[in-house]
Every structure is written in structure tokens, then in C-alpha cells.
Amino acid sequence: MHPAVESAEQTTNLPDSALDRVRSVEGVLSAVPLALSTVEARFPNGTFQPFQVICVDDATLFGVPALKDGVSPSVLRGPDAVIVDPGGTDGKLETPILKADQWPYGEPHLTAPTRELATGDELLLNDHHVVVRGRSEALPRYPPRPLIYATFSNCTRILLPERHRLTFVLATAAPGVSPRELVTRIHARTNLKARSSEDFKADTVRWYLINLKMWEMLPQCSPWRRPWVLG
């Protein structure tokens, strides 16, 4: 990851060349890309919802959690295919029940009766229609947020252009090489920050504790803690 990254919640992207640099390090058995982004999804009745997008390697699909109803992660390889996850939220993945309320002309049908998104439903991301091919059962996120999983190739079509897309390189240690030993090698060879899975989890928890404490220390009268109403 970029040397300045301290948690999974505050990231910046890397040049694509970082993937090959990590792969060239002795002791790396395999390395695959992972990208994080955000997108505003439009639902068929006209409502919208921000999602975190998780872009996974087309070949390995590494990073896709278990899917409901025994659906294979390989469904992501279809054109404009996505997998959705509530990410610890409730009532955020709702689509109209009636066809007449889907993609209506004129005003959006915001009060139309809804049901949960299911396989075959569509969303609109940056003027691209994508098709839900499954729902995942990932662990609840903090802070809660809806998630979309897609392959790198589909992300390239769906998301707005960026100079760099790659956020993390997920590396696996070769037999006989410990994760922490590999961390040291990757950093020495590439100057990138490298952390074992367990250490990066601890980093993220520490980041939350520090930042939540700073928020709680703000006085109640601070403008950063005032509710805002826009009209």
C-alpha cells in the first residue's frame, strides 16, 4: 500500500506498476490487485445511494466473500455484473416491486412499494446499467455502508476515470516464508508500506479509536457537531 496509508478507511491509490514490483520480490508466491472506490447508485424508482465499490482481480476473484444461495463468485466475470452487500446497513438495498415504478418517465417514484434487491435487478452507476448477479454475506462493516463487488475490467467501464486505480496489492507468502518476513522484504525492495493481515487489522482498529476519540473531544458547540439542514 501507499506508505501514508494507516487503515482500510483512509486510502490513496498506487501506480499500476506497483503490482509487478511486489510480484518480483523473493518470497512472494502470488500477488493480486484490489481497488477501493465510491459510486452513487441510482435505483430503478429514482432513489440514489452511495456505495463503496470493491474491485477484484478478474482471474482469481480474490477478495469476494461467500455468496448467498450457493452462487459462484464466477458470476462476476459477466459483462456489467456486480454483487451487492448491505455492509451492516438495513433497508438500503430496496428496488420497486412493480414494473411500472421501474425507470419511470418524469418524476421518480420515491414512495413506490419496494423489496430487497435480488439476482437480475439493475442499478445505474455513472450512466451504466449494471446487473446484480448475487448477494454476499460479508461481515458487517463499521461504519456501515452498502458494498458493490465488481471485477477490475467492469470497474474500468463503470467508474469514472482515475489516474491510478490500484489501492492495495494482496500478496501471499511462499512456503517457508512468514508473513512478517515477507513484509520486511517488500518494503526493502519497493519502498511501499507492507503489513500482515493481522497487523493491518490492528492498525485499522487503532485508527478508529484515535479518530473516534478526537470526535468525542470536540465541544458540543463546535460547528463540526452541529446538525445541518439544506433546502
Side-chain angles (χ1 to χ4, degrees):
M1 67 194 79
H2 190 281
V5 171
E6 296 181 344
S7 79
E9 293 301 321
Q10 192 175 41
T11 61
T12 188
N13 289 348
L14 301 166
D16 292 343
S17 60
L19 179 60
D20 289 330
R21 290 164 60 199
V22 172
R23 284 173 172 168
S24 70
V25 175
E26 183 180 357
V28 172
L29 178 65
S30 64
V32 298
L34 186 78
L36 303 181
S37 188
T38 57
V39 68
E40 183 181 89
R42 295 278 175 174
F43 287 78
N45 60 345
T47 60
F48 61 91
Q49 172 67 48
F51 279 77
Q52 182 178 51
V53 183
I54 302 174
C55 308
V56 300
D57 177 50
D58 288 60
T60 64
L61 301 178
F62 191 81
V64 178
L67 305 183
K68 291 185 176 182
D69 302 320
V71 175
S72 169
S74 63
V75 296
L76 269 188
R77 296 194 178 104
D80 299 321
V82 298
I83 289 168
V84 296
D85 190 290
T89 64
D90 185 35
K92 300 292 187 181
L93 305 181
E94 297 287 321
T95 194
I97 295 175
L98 303 176
K99 289 288 186 181
D101 294 315
Q102 298 184 13
W103 312 116
Y105 292 99
E107 294 185 358
H109 293 193
L110 304 181
T111 60
T114 60
R115 57 169 174 78
E116 286 194 339
L117 281 172
T119 299
D121 289 332
E122 292 187 353
L123 295 170
L124 190 64
L125 311 181
N126 293 326
D127 296 327
H128 291 273
H129 281 273
V130 298
V131 182
V132 175
R133 293 304 182 192
R135 291 184 55 144
S136 63
E137 297 181 305
L139 294 173
R141 301 292 296 270
Y142 183 84
R145 75 188 72 176
L147 308 175
I148 285 177
Y149 291 87
T151 60
F152 253 83
S153 58
N154 280 333
C155 282
T156 300
R157 290 193 295 271
I158 293 167
L159 299 178
L160 298 177
E162 292 187 60
R163 182 165 173 258
H164 300 311
R165 178 76 65 193
L166 179 65
T167 310
F168 295 107
V169 176
L170 307 180
T172 304
V177 180
S178 71
R180 289 182 176 172
E181 180 183 357
L182 188 58
V183 160
T184 301
R185 293 184 188 182
I186 291 173
H187 177 66
R189 179 73 179 268
T190 67
N191 288 324
L192 297 172
K193 184 175 183 178
R195 301 289 281 159
S196 69
S197 297
E198 292 305 314
D199 287 343
F200 193 47
K201 290 176 185 177
D203 291 345
T204 299
V205 171
R206 188 179 305 110
W207 183 89
Y208 272 122
L209 292 175
I210 292 171
N211 284 274
L212 284 175
K213 186 176 181 180
M214 290 176 63
W215 174 261
E216 291 170 355
M217 289 173 63
L218 287 174
Q220 292 294 327
C221 60
S222 168
W224 295 106
R225 299 195 66 160
R226 293 176 190 165
W228 295 93
V229 176
L230 301 179

